[in-house]
Amino acid sequence: MKFLTGHKGRESQIIDLFTRTFTASEGEEEGTLIGELARNLMGGTAEQDLFVFTAEEDGAIIGGIVFSRLTYPQDDRTVFVLAPVAVATDRQGQGIGQQLLAHGLAALRGAGVDIAITYGDPNYYAKVGFMPISEADAQAPFPLKQPEGWLAQSLTDRAMTTLKGPSRCVEALNNPVFW
Ligand SMILES: CC(C)(COP(=O)(O)OP(=O)(O)OC[C@H]1O[C@@H](n2cnc3c(N)ncnc32)[C@H](O)[C@@H]1OP(=O)(O)O)[C@@H](O)C(=O)NCCC(=O)NCCS
């Protein structure tokens, strides 16, 4: 297995991974929604606002994760939000997700990102260093339907302290359906 950075020339395979994986786990409607989210993130986000990492084996994409910029205009720290995350259905439970996430988080740290945030299962994301936070610790772009899934980690030596003021996500995520 190898990890690749970026999406150029592989967009349709990456969209397909997200669509198929979420269709299998959550149903067709969610599969289509997350596939379109991946398409819009890759197609409509400025290069400096996006990180895409994939895990590949024998030329096939078996895992994918996307981080996009979350801007806190009143705070000087650099924040990225992780979404979506998928490991191919027939390769789940083999540690691929955790390895890919560790790889991506290390790359963000190397790029000078201060804080990573995500919105998902606290038990799973705790395995790669995310801890529950509240909407008072870091405002989400929209009110959260499942605030218990709001998670963050510092990527620097400084502890995660409250992010000041409201936040703004990239256009692809700028829809309450995702929050
Ligand atoms: C969630 C997902 C990315 C995990 O990737 P993975 O490669 O299967 O997971 P790993 O092998 O790295 O980790 C497995 C561990 O996580 C746990 N785990 C896997 N999926 C989980 C989930 N949805 N919720 C909680 N824990 C989960 C397993 O129990 C296992 O625990 P263990 O190490 O104590 O045995 C993958 O299963 C997936 O793509 N699921 C469908 C799409 C999805 O739900 N994406 C995340 C949305 S927030």
Side-chain angles (χ1 to χ4, degrees):
M1 180 173 62
K2 62 180 180 189
F3 299 121
L4 298 183
T5 301
H7 55 83
K8 293 279 151 38
R10 299 180 301 131
E11 288 84 348
S12 59
Q13 286 169 273
I14 295 171
I15 294 163
D16 200 44
L17 169 80
F18 284 112
T19 307
R20 273 189 285 116
T21 305
F22 278 88
T23 297
S25 68
E26 316 275 339
E28 195 177 336
E29 196 179 327
E30 187 75 5
T32 302
L33 180 73
I34 304 302
E36 284 307 301
L37 169 61
R39 181 192 304 279
N40 294 334
L41 280 165
M42 292 186 286
T45 309
E47 203 170 326
Q48 69 271 18
D49 294 341
L50 192 72
F51 291 91
V52 178
F53 302 100
T54 53
E56 305 207 11
E57 208 170 67
D58 301 330
I61 297 183
I62 54 173
I65 60 177
V66 182
F67 294 88
S68 59
R69 192 181 297 276
L70 198 54
T71 305
Y72 286 83
Q74 296 173 29
D75 200 291
D76 60 9
R77 286 169 288 179
T78 304
V79 183
F80 274 74
V81 62
L82 167 67
V85 171
V87 170
T89 307
D90 62 351
R91 301 302 306 272
Q92 291 173 7
Q94 300 170 17
I96 294 167
Q98 285 173 69
Q99 288 177 58
L100 179 58
L101 287 163
H103 171 82
L105 289 162
L108 260 64
R109 194 177 287 118
V113 175
D114 295 298
I115 292 169
I117 288 185
T118 195
Y119 186 40
D121 187 306
N123 296 322
Y124 183 68
Y125 289 104
K127 294 176 190 292
V128 290
F130 285 96
M131 308 257 284
I133 57 166
S134 74
E135 288 167 274
D137 296 320
Q139 285 185 44
F142 292 90
L144 299 175
K145 291 187 278 291
Q146 295 179 292
E148 66 281 3
W150 194 228
L151 313 168
Q153 66 176 291
S154 171
L155 298 177
T156 69
D157 296 338
R158 289 166 59 194
M160 159 88 198
T161 53
T162 301
L163 283 158
K164 293 189 203 74
S167 64
R168 190 174 66 238
C169 59
V170 300
E171 191 53 36
L173 280 170
N174 197 24
N175 181 333
V177 73
F178 296 119
W179 303 91

